[in-house]
Amino acid sequence: MAAEHRYDPAEIEPRWQRVWAEEGTWEVSNDLGGDPKSYVLVMLPYPSGEPHIGHLKVYAVGDAVAHFHRRAGRRVLNPMGYDAFGLPAENHAIKTGQHPRDSTEAAIEEFRRQFREWGLSIDWTREFGTHEPRIYRWTQWIFLELFRRGLAYQKEAAVNWDPVEETVLANEQVIDGRGERSGALVEVRQLKQWFFRITDYADRLLAELQTIRWPEHVKTMQRNWIGRSEGAEVVFHNEELRADYPVFTTRPDTLFGATFFVLAPEHPDVLRLAEGTSHEAEVREYVNRALTADKALRGDIDKEKTGVALGRTVVNPVNGEHLPMYVADYVLMEYGTGAIMAVPAHDERDFAFAEAFGLKIRRVIDDPGDPEGELPYTGNGPLVNSAPEFDGVHNREALPAIVAWLEREGKGHASINYRLRDWLISRQRYWGTPIPIVHCPRCGAVAVPDDELPVVLPDVEDYKPRGRSPLAAAEDWVRTSCPQCGGAAERETDTMDTFVDSSWYFLRYCDAANDEAAWDPAIVGRWMPVDQYIGGVEHAILHLLYARFFTKALADLGHLPEEVQEPFAALFTQGMILRDGDKMSKNKGNVVSPQSIVERYGADTARAYILFIGPPDQDADWSDTGVEGMHRFLARLYRLAAEAAGELPGDPLPDELNADDERLLRKAHWAIEKVTSDMSERFNFNTAIAAVMELLNEVTTVKRGAASAGAVRFTLASAASLIFPFAPHVASESYHLLTGDRVWERPWPSPDPRYLETATFELVLQVNGKVRDRVQAPSDASRDELIALARASERVQQFTDGSEVVKEVVVPGKLVNVVVRAS
RNA sequence: GCGGGCGUGGUGGAAUCGGUAGACACGCCGGCUUUAGGUGCCGGUGGCGCAAGCCAUGGGGGUUCAAGUCCCUCCGCCCGCACCA
């Protein structure tokens, strides 16, 4: 019998894929015709080699969501593209000489081939790679729009230099002082670079997190990264140089406790201040050492405090005291003003420094619980040793009064500081979007006119960066004329961070065929925002923050409808696939390739299994035997469908249902309800698939009985319909065998309430909270009737006899708990 | 150090609002069919116990008629941030 209806995915899957490709089943028009829309988007892949198991998982999730939304009656945009610029292809080119375009396009070809083999319901007419000139033309256009509005600018600054990749990196790409990709300790270099003014959007990026449905931990990470602090800027004056040194502090209430003043080693005035003092040589040496030390070591919080006195003082504006100045590497140039007022009594770091250097410590806040308690004290309490009008006032009340006083005296003002820095986008590398700027000795940095876009990446001999962009070697390309004055000029040779490409690709999908513009705002307005975005949590700050910034900036510039303020209305982050509790990696030799699974079991098994292992937002362990279980399940579904289709042609549901029919229909409607809620309220694909398995088990159990052909057929068709989002080929095949219809053209089933209600239910009987018996009870039974059933139970009596019944708790539809006390 | 998540059978996991712990699957044990089988089907499977029953959701305590779920405390693992003034 088994041989008669052998499940052969190698035959079934290509056959249905051909139908979908030939008919353009998953293509969607921008003319929505009044239907509700759903934009379901999985983060675009970086094409390198071939897809790995993580790709299989994330696209299985995305495709399930897309199918579910489609059959719920929405027009679904489910596109695909490639994040094609980037370092791995370029490093490969340095090693082999193969052009990054060739290796990248080979990888894209392989990705596309496998995605089609997986049967993903992609609208392939919208496909693109970010490395195509017809695409990066618009990346350059966006850059120029930002440039023209002052949101892209060039400045010389201390930047992160990755000595292995030989390029600068954005702050977001430096993890624990090391380059994100290379793992090399990052050096500080003073270089002129291009930045995007993301800090202008800090407040909106923070506040508008409230408007989107994202995992709370991702929002928290963005909030921390933006790092908003409220406080005050206070000006300290140095009399010798007649220079003002503003500081940012969140604790202006502790101003009276400032006993010294510290500058960061990078502060531009450090050497000037020390000049001519007896400390000059020592300061010079300290600064040199601090600037060359690597960032990771400097950032260690447990490191002992070091520093050198400058031999100068500043005046504390609130009390006129002269505070000694120091330079110390625990003060960071990147945050605030690169200078701090030190209040050792109420700040742990200042306290450690004061201890190490024997500096004065003055308490200005009492600990209400322990007025003579240990220092440093970072809590709240009444001010002491401050000014007569503030002593005794609680510090949190005094704080605004002190700020107001500073403002009146012109010595400071309320201020807000962010940890977020502007986004450094220049890269001294080859394989990226060229920055469309011409440097003219007379006119400065000039935008390449729009009609000359794209500035096409020139071919070069040597991809190896040598402290400057490889593009600099393309001399004919570099030499050009100034678009403004026509004089001799040179092209910018740096390329853009690849995160620029992925900051707008989701807009392009909406209007992918547009040759006249990056997109038509009206069309983008029909699709945006992305209703469900799906991807890895590793992009929690980088990509997801940049894309939000781009969306807001482009809306401000009038290129997006005003109501499009957030790119991704809902976000789902999927967990990793592990093997034996470990990450899969070539080094460990524990890699399972999607290709091998698909070849062996078919795409349906691979996709359904990966969603069945566990909740998709959690990490999951791959099991070679587990995948066979899924294959058996799909084979059983196919076989039962094929048998039923052959044996029982076209039977409708009978008018009179027998007990087995009733049982099948109840289970079917239960499963419809369960799968629907698992998919719409949560992303619980594992329990949804389990429900379909239960449904199929019910058919096997009941089949030998007296179930009518129509009921069996309906049940199997329901199972095929419900499993379709996870295993589309075998579901289409089975459904077609049973009904002659195409399952994706059928609306998502809805449960019939008549079959969800039952005349009786299993009443659980407890004595003192322990289950002692289960009996059938009428669904509409009253509390008294349920209690009567409990009392009538022999098993209950056995445990209550000889005891006093204290009370009887009734949970309607569930249980009765008889509470007794030994008498 | 701060913030967040997690801990359930041999394994992955389920238990959605405080109400039947272990759905579904893997694995394992037994049986049947067929044997060319990596097939199919049936039954069993948290632990202890002959049984009645008792015990059991990382440990300990608490609230409650009732706790995997709530509270306190401790332990372990994972993730993020970390000299941010």
Side-chain angles (χ1 to χ4, degrees), chain A residues 56-89:
Chain A
L56 181 64
K57 177 167 178 176
V58 76
Y59 291 105
V61 170
D63 219 44
V65 174
H67 276 311
F68 180 67
H69 283 195
R70 269 188 209 103
R71 290 184 58 206
R74 295 189 268 267
R75 298 281 188 100
V76 170
L77 176 55
N78 184 211
M80 178 63 73
Y82 309 94
D83 189 19
F85 277 133
L87 282 180

Side-chain angles (χ1 to χ4, degrees), chain A residues 205-477:
Chain A
L205 289 169
L206 191 65
E208 289 159 27
L209 282 171
Q210 285 172 13
T211 66
I212 49 184
R213 299 192 317 280
W214 284 22
E216 210 44 55
H217 69 278
V218 177
K219 290 192 189 182
T220 303
M221 282 165 76
Q222 292 216 348
R223 275 191 204 105
N224 292 342
W225 188 260
I226 296 166
R228 180 188 150 106
S229 301
E230 282 185 37
E233 196 163 290
V234 185
V235 180
F236 288 70
H237 187 72
N238 169 266
E239 290 171 345
E240 291 102 324
L241 271 70
R242 294 197 190 150
D244 280 341
Y245 292 103
V247 301
F248 173 75
T249 176
T250 54
R251 297 295 303 277
D253 53 316
T254 63
L255 256 169
F256 292 93
T259 55
F260 57 103
F261 192 91
V262 190
L263 297 175
E266 296 86 354
H267 197 287
D269 278 8
V270 165
L271 295 177
R272 206 151 65 85
L273 280 160
E275 209 167 68
T277 71
S278 58
H279 302 84
E280 184 176 350
E282 209 190 335
V283 166
R284 200 172 288 281
E285 196 200 333
Y286 182 81
V287 168
N288 278 341
R289 215 164 349 113
L291 293 189
T292 49
D294 55 62
K295 270 188 141 182
L297 294 178
R298 176 171 166 186
D300 186 356
I301 191 167
D302 296 325
K303 196 184 75 130
E304 260 185 57
K305 295 280 177 288
T306 61
V308 178
L310 291 174
R312 306 281 187 185
T313 62
V314 285
V315 176
N316 186 340
V318 295
N319 57 14
E321 281 184 0
H322 284 254
L323 309 179
M325 298 179 86
Y326 285 80
V327 55
D329 67 3
Y330 82 94
V331 175
L332 309 174
M333 194 61 216
E334 311 89 84
Y335 189 77
T337 61
I340 61 154
M341 66 172 201
V343 186
H346 304 291
D347 181 281
E348 284 172 17
R349 298 150 301 172
D350 296 344
F351 184 85
F353 191 85
E355 289 263 281
F357 286 80
L359 297 167
K360 193 159 66 173
I361 298 170
R362 183 199 301 142
R363 171 191 284 277
V364 291
I365 296 174
D366 269 349
D367 179 350
D370 184 10
E372 296 306 311
E374 235 177 82
L375 293 177
Y377 172 65
T378 55
N380 296 316
L383 293 187
V384 293
N385 302 324
S386 295
E389 68 262 42
F390 293 121
D391 282 340
V393 180
H394 191 269
N395 68 312
R396 290 292 150 191
E397 286 166 37
L399 195 151
I402 291 172
V403 173
W405 182 88
L406 286 169
E407 281 183 19
R408 273 200 307 276
E409 299 289 316
K411 289 172 174 171
H413 54 86
S415 169
I416 292 166
N417 220 296
Y418 297 92
R419 186 181 174 281
L420 183 70
R421 303 266 66 93
D422 274 342
W423 173 15
L424 196 174
I425 58 128
S426 311
R427 294 292 179 274
Q428 289 71 50
R429 298 297 302 246
Y430 174 75
W431 190 232
T433 303
I435 294 174
I437 289 287
V438 170
H439 295 284
C440 169
R442 264 174 299 179
C443 311
V446 179
V448 172
D450 281 352
D451 59 11
E452 290 177 26
L453 297 183
V455 174
V456 177
L457 199 54
D459 283 338
V460 296
E461 300 285 312
D462 180 8
Y463 303 104
K464 190 155 176 52
R466 301 180 188 280
R468 58 170 198 174
S469 167
L471 291 186
E475 285 169 20
D476 291 346
W477 178 83

Side-chain angles (χ1 to χ4, degrees), chain A residues 38 57 66 86 103 128 161 218 226 234 292 329 406 418 468 478 533 552 573 678 715 802:
Chain A
S38 176
K57 177 167 178 176
S103 59
F128 62 81
W161 177 263
V218 177
I226 296 166
V234 185
T292 49
D329 67 3
L406 286 169
Y418 297 92
R468 58 170 198 174
V478 170
Y533 200 36
K552 290 176 195 306
T573 55
D678 278 350
T715 308

Side-chain angles (χ1 to χ4, degrees), chain A residues 21-222:
Chain A
E22 280 165 11
E23 299 187 4
T25 310
W26 314 123
E27 290 169 21
V28 63
S29 160
N30 283 338
D31 181 5
L32 297 179
D35 285 344
K37 67 94 183 179
S38 176
Y39 188 175
V40 178
L41 184 63
V42 175
M43 289 179 186
L44 85 177
Y46 176 78
S48 171
E50 56 180 294
H52 55 72
I53 201 89
H55 290 115
L56 181 64
K57 177 167 178 176
V58 76
Y59 291 105
V61 170
D63 219 44
V65 174
H67 276 311
F68 180 67
H69 283 195
R70 269 188 209 103
R71 290 184 58 206
R74 295 189 268 267
R75 298 281 188 100
V76 170
L77 176 55
N78 184 211
M80 178 63 73
Y82 309 94
D83 189 19
F85 277 133
L87 282 180
E90 187 169 344
N91 291 339
H92 176 78
I94 292 166
K95 229 183 285 171
T96 65
Q98 187 187 23
H99 196 294
R101 190 188 302 116
D102 297 336
S103 59
T104 299
E105 288 184 351
I108 287 175
E109 184 58 40
E110 181 61 18
F111 270 60
R112 182 189 296 129
R113 191 186 66 74
Q114 291 204 31
F115 289 162
R116 285 176 178 275
E117 255 182 37
W118 299 351
L120 298 180
S121 60
I122 302 291
D123 179 351
W124 290 103
T125 64
R126 297 169 188 260
E127 182 194 31
F128 62 81
T130 56
H131 69 303
E132 297 174 47
R134 64 175 180 113
I135 298 300
Y136 69 67
R137 168 184 178 180
W138 303 116
T139 310
Q140 291 173 336
W141 172 78
I142 293 169
F143 173 94
L144 291 176
E145 280 295 289
L146 297 176
F147 176 65
R148 288 188 275 258
R149 307 294 185 102
L151 288 172
Y153 67 97
Q154 216 179 2
K155 79 167 174 197
E156 180 161 325
V159 296
N160 306 300
W161 177 263
D162 185 323
V164 170
E165 305 284 15
E166 298 200 54
T167 181
V168 297
L169 297 175
N171 282 358
E172 288 80 4
Q173 288 162 318
V174 178
I175 317 263
D176 292 334
R178 292 173 181 275
E180 183 197 30
R181 293 202 56 83
S182 69
L185 283 169
V186 163
E187 298 164 10
V188 176
R189 286 203 184 174
Q190 201 69 23
L191 291 170
K192 197 171 185 188
Q193 300 286 318
W194 286 96
F195 292 84
F196 284 158
R197 217 177 283 282
I198 191 172
T199 51
D200 274 12
Y201 288 80
D203 251 333
R204 280 165 66 188
L205 289 169
L206 191 65
E208 289 159 27
L209 282 171
Q210 285 172 13
T211 66
I212 49 184
R213 299 192 317 280
W214 284 22
E216 210 44 55
H217 69 278
V218 177
K219 290 192 189 182
T220 303
M221 282 165 76
Q222 292 216 348

